């Protein structure tokens, strides 16, 4: 009979416990959690603060009692494993309720401690109005502060998932909100020109968005009648100051490795616990999963750190299999993720352009902006999709999508296609459901594949938005949209305008000794104009993604 100890009762740890019991009725399974809750929905915490999830109990997926009754797992909350004795195969546990200590032996040990919020040593940050959000007690502290202090203004530091979700939660509560991000964009899994759509949405909701700015210090001024109430003055790196009454630090997380380091387990170059493909640490009797580990990147095979619930749950299941005699191997993490930002959904899978450049991987990219379902059926919304692929093999390297409808569907399809090793040429033939309320006869996925395949075959010579800033005297920018669009939507600086439907009769207005850069709203009419000009002997390129991509790159 195997004895399995599990450290950490959320996501990976809880999944491992449940899976181990399903595989073995005789195994002894004990799960330790230093907090008061296990198996809680930490991804739902901001949504309870904002009021979307009304019932706090809905966040508690399991309790120690329910785990015991359903899975016969001994769950010990408020019990922290403080040391591991690898040679003796025992752990020392501290009961945080009465400060007593005891030991437990194990045959196999699973580490699932998660990740801890990054809170840099900023002067003044330790005050009653500053919080981070990792677990239910953190959430409760934020809610208590809101109820007690009735803040009129809140500030969020960090534009990642938690930061964006907390920004929206405060907005829903009627609290004026500022979002401060040190990078030049929010939501770093997507590239800057795609993040521009998010910036537009945030500003449209009257959020005070400050990009390229860092928090340097915080000064707390307590209320005269209550030391827990008051206000903060924030000093920013651009010399400006910001007055606020509630501060959320959401600048990121790092793997929780304190126990693993003290135990002498191998730590990877990225700072996470090293594991092999079977989720074993450098000690074959100790496994690790979730946000605390370095896992294998699906595309490159290199180590990566991806703090997402999906991979953690799959890893926990696999670790349980292997502790009980299997030899399952982890197939890598793509980093598929999605975030709600007011009315928008922002999603991505695989590599973004920044990462591909960093890893010196050859890539090509295309953009499409088209309807989520048949445009003539009410309710269609624009899906903006960026597809990154190998110019040699055509294999999918990554994808990003933003819009109000159908975003999860498109990124999920592309995540499956990438894992299956499909090329953009094969993606053209993917057959998806079609009815006017749900899709189009040529889905967004197919259209992106068409454009990408045209690029690979050389049927179109493309140019991208960032090249427009460096056009030479030997290039002419031709806008083929209708004049009414230019007035209502906006214009390209220095472009000449010949509507695409007039182009055949007005080609004599264009020089044949210069390169013609064709542009339209999203790239579709530009491609029509490109073919006309190319077939007539002009030197020509089409602006992939059109005005919509160029404009949002500046937001």
């Amino acid at each position: 009979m195997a004895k399995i100890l599990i450290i950490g009762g959320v996501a990976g740890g809880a999944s491992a416990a449940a899976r181990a019991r399903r595989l073995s009725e005789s195994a002894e399974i004990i799960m330790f959690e230093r907090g008061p809750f296990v198996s809680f929905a930490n991804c739902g915490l901001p949504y309870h603060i904002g009021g979307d999830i009304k019932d706090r109990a809905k966040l508690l997926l399991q309790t120690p009692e329910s785990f015991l009754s359903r899975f016969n797992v001994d769950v010990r909350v408020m019990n922290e494993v403080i040391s591991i004795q690898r040679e003796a195969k025992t752990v020392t546990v501290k009961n945080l309720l009465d400060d007593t200590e005891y030991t437990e032996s194990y045959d196999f040990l699973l580490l699932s401690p998660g990740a801890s919020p990054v809170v840099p040593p900023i002067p003044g940050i330790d005050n009653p109005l500053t919080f981070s959000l990792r677990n239910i007690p953190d959430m409760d502290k934020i809610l208590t502060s809101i109820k007690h202090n009735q803040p009129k203004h809140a500030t969020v530091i960090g534009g990642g998932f938690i930061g964006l979700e907390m920004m929206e939660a405060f907005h829903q509560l009627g609290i004026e909100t500022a979002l401060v991000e040190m990078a030049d964009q929010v939501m770093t899994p997507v590239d800057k020109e795609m993040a521009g759509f998010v910036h537009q949405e945030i500003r449209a909701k009257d959020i005070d968005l400050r990009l390229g700015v860092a928090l340097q210090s915080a000064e707390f001024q307590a209320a005269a009648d209550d030391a827990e109430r008051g206000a903060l003055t924030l000093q920013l790196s651009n010399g400006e100051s910001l007055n606020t009454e509630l501060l959320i630090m959401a600048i990121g997380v790092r793997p929780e490795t304190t126990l693993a380091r003290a135990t002498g387990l191998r730590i990877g170059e990225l700072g996470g616990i090293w594991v092999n493909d079977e989720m074993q640490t450098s000690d074959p009797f100790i496994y690790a999963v979730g946000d605390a580990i370095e896992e294998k990147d699906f595309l490159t095979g290199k180590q990566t750190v991806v703090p997402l619930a999906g991979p953690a749950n799959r890893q926990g299941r696999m670790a349980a299999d292997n502790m009980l005699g299997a030899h399952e191997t982890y197939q890598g993490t793509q980093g598929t993720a999605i975030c709600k930002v007011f009315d928008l959904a922002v999603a991505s899978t695989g590599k973004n352009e920044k990462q591909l450049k960093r890893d010196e991987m050859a890539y090509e990219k295309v953009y499409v902006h088209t309807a989520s379902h048949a445009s003539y059926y009410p309710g269609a919304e624009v899906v903006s999709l960026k597809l990154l692929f190998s110019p040699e093999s055509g294999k999918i390297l990554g994808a990003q999508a933003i819009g109000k409808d159908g975003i999860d569907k498109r990124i999920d399809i592309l995540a499956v296609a990438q894992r299956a090793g499909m090329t953009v040429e094969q993606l053209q033939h993917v057959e998806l459901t079609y009815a006017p309320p749900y899709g189009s006869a040529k889905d967004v996925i197919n259209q992106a594949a068409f454009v990408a395949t045209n690029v690979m075959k050389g049927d179109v010579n493309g140019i991208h938005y960032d090249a427009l800033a460096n056009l030479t005297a030997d290039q002419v920018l031709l806008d083929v949209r209708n004049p009414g669009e230019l007035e209502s939507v906006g214009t390209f600086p220095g472009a000449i305008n010949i509507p695409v439907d007039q182009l055949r009769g007005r080609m004599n207005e264009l020089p044949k000794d210069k390169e013609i850069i064709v542009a339209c709203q999203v790239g579709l009419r530009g491609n029509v104009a490109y073919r006309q000009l190319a077939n007539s002997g002009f030197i020509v390129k089409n602006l992939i993604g059109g005005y919509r991509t160029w404009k949002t790159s500046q937001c």
Side-chain angles (χ1 to χ4, degrees):
M1 180 180 74
K3 183 175 181 180
I4 298 172
L5 304 186
I6 298 172
I7 300 175
V10 184
S15 294
R19 175 65 172 174
R21 176 58 69 221
R22 289 196 296 271
L23 294 174
S24 171
E25 191 60 33
S26 63
E28 182 181 359
I29 307 168
I30 305 174
M31 185 161 64
F32 302 98
E33 171 56 51
R34 63 185 174 187
F37 303 100
V38 294
S39 192
F40 61 87
N42 51 2
C43 295
L45 302 181
Y47 298 106
H48 179 59
I49 293 173
D52 294 299
I53 300 173
K54 303 293 185 186
D55 186 357
R56 180 177 178 277
K58 297 288 187 183
L59 300 172
L60 304 175
L61 307 179
Q62 294 281 353
T63 65
E65 294 75 21
S66 67
F67 242 116
L68 181 63
S69 61
R70 178 167 296 184
F71 298 109
N72 192 25
V73 172
D74 181 1
V75 178
R76 303 179 186 178
V77 296
M78 302 301 291
N79 277 246
E80 181 178 9
V81 176
I82 57 176
S83 65
I84 302 170
Q85 295 76 46
R86 288 167 54 187
E87 290 188 7
K89 294 177 71 174
T90 62
V91 300
T92 300
V93 187
K94 182 176 183 179
N95 185 323
L96 300 178
L97 296 176
D98 59 15
D99 283 338
T100 59
E101 294 183 8
Y102 61 96
T103 61
E104 284 284 354
S105 63
Y106 64 84
D107 295 309
F108 295 102
L109 176 64
L110 176 68
L111 304 180
S112 183
S116 55
V118 175
V119 181
I122 296 173
I125 205 69
D126 186 12
N127 63 71
L129 301 182
T130 298
F131 305 90
S132 58
L133 181 61
R134 182 190 185 192
N135 51 38
I136 286 183
D138 291 340
M139 179 191 74
D140 290 340
K141 290 176 185 176
I142 294 170
L143 286 169
T144 298
S145 181
I146 293 172
K147 183 178 181 180
H148 181 64
N149 297 322
Q150 298 290 308
K152 301 286 192 301
H153 188 282
T155 300
V156 177
I157 307 296
F161 290 97
I162 295 297
L164 292 170
E165 290 162 358
M166 286 304 302
M167 169 198 71
E168 183 170 352
F170 290 143
H171 182 269
Q172 288 183 192
L173 293 173
I175 301 172
E176 186 180 352
T177 305
L179 178 65
V180 178
E181 168 56 55
M182 186 167 62
D184 62 355
Q185 66 165 97
V186 301
M187 196 68 178
T188 54
V190 304
D191 291 308
K192 186 175 185 297
E193 75 279 13
M194 298 297 283
F197 293 106
V198 187
H199 299 162
Q200 289 178 327
E201 179 74 3
I202 291 171
R203 292 181 176 120
K205 301 296 184 182
D206 294 325
I207 301 296
D208 180 9
L209 177 62
R210 305 194 184 199
L211 299 173
V213 180
L215 174 64
Q216 289 193 324
S217 67
E219 182 181 352
F220 173 60
Q221 302 91 34
D225 59 341
D226 190 341
E228 296 297 312
R229 292 176 56 246
L232 293 169
T233 299
L234 309 180
Q235 296 297 329
L236 307 179
S237 59
N238 60 359
E240 296 178 353
S241 63
L242 185 60
N243 295 318
T244 195
E245 297 157 296
L246 179 60
L247 179 63
I248 302 294
M249 298 298 295
I251 62 176
V253 296
R254 63 166 58 97
E256 176 55 74
T257 60
T258 305
L259 190 59
R261 289 178 186 273
T263 306
L265 297 177
R266 178 180 170 185
I267 303 298
E269 294 182 0
L270 302 177
I273 301 170
W274 179 90
V275 293
N276 63 16
D277 287 348
E278 294 188 12
M279 313 314 297
Q280 284 176 306
T281 68
S282 53
D283 184 322
F285 299 101
I286 302 178
Y287 290 71
V289 299
D291 296 356
I293 71 166
E294 290 185 12
E295 56 220 275
K296 184 172 70 175
D297 181 89
F298 173 78
L299 188 63
T300 66
K302 298 178 181 178
Q303 296 302 102
T304 186
V305 176
V306 183
L308 292 173
N313 277 275
R314 297 196 303 277
Q315 293 159 8
R317 174 188 172 92
M318 182 178 299
D321 286 351
N322 294 339
M323 286 188 288
L324 292 171
H327 293 283
E328 301 289 338
T329 58
Y330 189 64
Q331 302 300 307
T333 297
Q334 294 165 270
T336 307
I338 190 167
C339 184
K340 177 182 179 294
V341 185
F342 296 114
D343 295 330
L344 289 183
V346 189
S348 63
T349 191
K351 295 293 188 184
N352 58 40
E353 193 172 348
K354 299 184 292 286
Q355 293 168 329
L356 293 170
K357 287 179 178 177
R358 180 197 64 198
D359 294 339
E360 298 182 337
M361 296 181 65
Y363 69 93
E364 185 53 270
K365 60 183 177 181
V366 296
Y367 303 88
V368 292
H369 307 278
T370 191
S372 57
H373 60 246
S375 58
Y376 56 81
Y377 187 88
E381 299 285 354
V382 175
V383 174
S384 294
L385 176 69
K386 178 178 184 177
L387 181 63
L388 296 148
F389 58 96
S390 166
E392 290 86 19
S393 66
K395 285 197 172 181
I396 299 163
L397 303 178
Q400 303 158 33
I402 297 178
K404 296 182 179 180
D405 180 52
I407 301 304
D408 53 345
K409 169 183 175 180
R410 272 67 187 207
I411 289 299
D412 284 345
I413 291 168
L414 288 168
V416 173
Q418 184 187 47
R419 188 162 287 271
M422 292 181 65
T423 65
V424 292
E425 193 279 331
Q426 292 170 326
L427 198 63
Q428 296 178 106
H429 307 290
V430 169
E431 189 171 332
L432 303 173
T433 55
Y434 164 57
Y438 303 109
S440 301
K442 290 189 294 186
D443 189 80
V444 179
I445 298 292
N446 303 116
Q447 293 196 40
F450 294 154
V451 179
T453 303
N454 283 343
V455 170
M456 285 199 67
K457 289 181 176 179
D459 289 343
V460 64
N461 189 2
I463 190 171
H464 291 291
Y465 70 92
D466 49 354
L468 296 190
N470 300 302
L471 297 183
T472 70
D474 294 322
Q475 294 173 303
V476 174
L477 182 57
L478 172 64
D479 190 335
V480 297
R481 295 176 295 166
N482 295 320
E485 288 179 79
L486 308 188
E487 294 178 9
S488 62
V489 177
T491 60
F492 293 101
I496 64 174
N497 177 228
I498 301 177
V500 64
D501 294 334
Q502 301 176 20
L503 185 57
R504 283 190 177 88
R506 297 177 60 182
M507 284 187 189
N508 61 323
E509 299 177 27
L510 299 172
K512 281 203 169 182
D513 61 344
K514 294 187 177 183
E515 184 177 68
I516 309 299
I517 308 299
V518 181
C520 67
Q521 185 63 21
V522 298
L524 183 60
R525 284 170 293 174
N527 186 56
V528 174
Y530 172 92
R531 296 310 314 167
Q532 291 181 27
L533 292 168
N535 292 339
S536 301
F538 285 85
I539 306 168
V540 60
K541 289 180 179 176
N542 183 29
L543 178 64
I544 306 293
Y547 181 86
R548 185 175 175 87
T549 302
W550 174 79
K551 184 65 175 177
T552 54
S553 71
Q554 303 170 67
C555 294

